[in-house]
Amino acid sequence: MSNSTSAQSVSGELPLVKILIVEDDPMMQLGLEQTLGDQAHFQIVGQAADGHTAVEMAQQLQPDVIVMDIGLPRQDGIAATQQIKAVLPDVRIVMLTSHTTETEVIAALSSGADAYCIKGTNVNRLLAAIAAAQEGATYLDPQIARRVINHLKLPLSSAPVGQLSQRELDVLKLIVEGYSNQEIAAALYLSPNTIKTHIRGIMNKLAVDDRVQAAVVALRTGLI
């Protein structure tokens, strides 16, 4: 039996997720290795301590997800993310950093990062960020969401917030709190497919393209 098959069977048929850790702090690196390695469907395929090495290892290992710091030697995480996304657009990159300025958050997302988490955050939030990134969504840590609101140009006048159903409002509230689709489904006792349908409805009604923009509209309008 292959390692992939074994991991799938242990984790309830979840597909194996190959993860590359990019972190220059040895203790943080070790902590991430242990935390993520405890997930049965995660496989740590490599670790890099600088941005330049991260780009090389990403091309060699072709991971599914990269957990990336910003403050790295030789090349920072934002530049590394941009280079990786240029050659591997399907790899999901989750920023895990202590950097919280609006400029850095916007720069990271603009470079192609799929999620932005703050170091020291609850482990469940990191797992939620990885899950959201895997689903093709963008995840923004609730701790910094309000700090970047004014930098995301979203036309509020065209957002028909009054048209959201109560169930859509329930889902939107959990999106703002950083829940993944699976966690929202569990919290509301609904199926993941139903949650996806509600999220599509929310994005259509708010005229946004992803979960982060939906959360921003909710916060700016006082909807949540």
Side-chain angles (χ1 to χ4, degrees):
M1 181 179 292
S2 68
N3 289 336
S4 175
T5 303
S6 177
Q8 288 177 354
S9 63
V10 169
S11 58
E13 301 304 322
L14 288 174
L16 186 67
V17 180
K18 297 183 295 181
I19 296 181
L20 171 64
I21 296 171
V22 185
E23 170 61 57
D24 62 326
D25 182 335
M27 293 303 295
M28 187 70 186
Q29 198 176 75
L30 179 60
L32 284 172
E33 182 181 17
Q34 293 175 340
T35 297
L36 299 178
D38 283 343
Q39 303 300 309
H41 62 296
F42 286 174
Q43 178 186 12
I44 310 301
V45 295
Q47 298 189 47
D50 64 80
H52 180 75
T53 303
V55 175
E56 292 183 338
M57 292 185 72
Q59 294 182 62
Q60 293 169 1
L61 301 172
Q62 298 198 10
D64 300 303
V65 175
I66 299 175
V67 178
M68 175 94 71
D69 191 9
I70 286 182
L72 297 167
R74 298 182 70 190
Q75 185 177 53
D76 66 45
I78 292 174
T81 294
Q82 191 169 27
Q83 288 190 23
I84 291 169
K85 282 289 191 174
V87 293
L88 297 170
D90 292 332
V91 68
R92 303 302 180 188
I93 299 182
V94 176
M95 291 296 193
L96 180 63
T97 179
S98 57
H99 295 243
T100 60
T101 69
E102 294 150 350
T103 300
E104 288 164 321
V105 176
I106 297 300
L109 296 176
S110 298
S111 73
D114 300 282
Y116 202 102
C117 268
I118 304 303
K119 284 184 177 179
T121 191
N122 185 288
V123 170
N124 289 332
R125 291 210 182 277
L126 175 57
L127 297 178
I130 293 174
Q134 287 181 269
E135 292 173 0
T138 303
Y139 178 97
L140 189 60
D141 195 304
Q143 293 183 56
I144 57 173
R146 293 179 185 275
R147 302 185 189 183
V148 299
I149 286 171
N150 293 330
H151 291 263
L152 296 178
K153 299 176 181 178
L154 300 173
L156 298 184
S157 58
S158 62
V161 295
Q163 295 181 19
L164 293 182
S165 68
Q166 184 56 54
R167 181 59 79 190
E168 286 171 337
L169 288 171
D170 293 339
V171 171
L172 183 57
K173 181 177 185 296
L174 294 177
I175 289 175
V176 169
E177 292 177 4
Y179 282 57
S180 69
N181 285 9
Q182 292 284 349
E183 289 173 325
I184 295 173
L188 298 180
Y189 302 101
L190 297 171
S191 73
N193 285 337
T194 299
I195 297 303
K196 288 180 181 179
T197 299
H198 284 314
I199 291 175
R200 282 195 298 269
I202 291 168
M203 292 192 296
N204 287 336
K205 290 179 180 180
L206 298 184
V208 297
D209 297 323
D210 59 42
R211 292 161 56 105
V212 171
Q213 291 183 353
V216 169
V217 167
L219 291 170
R220 288 185 68 182
T221 60
L223 189 61
I224 300 299

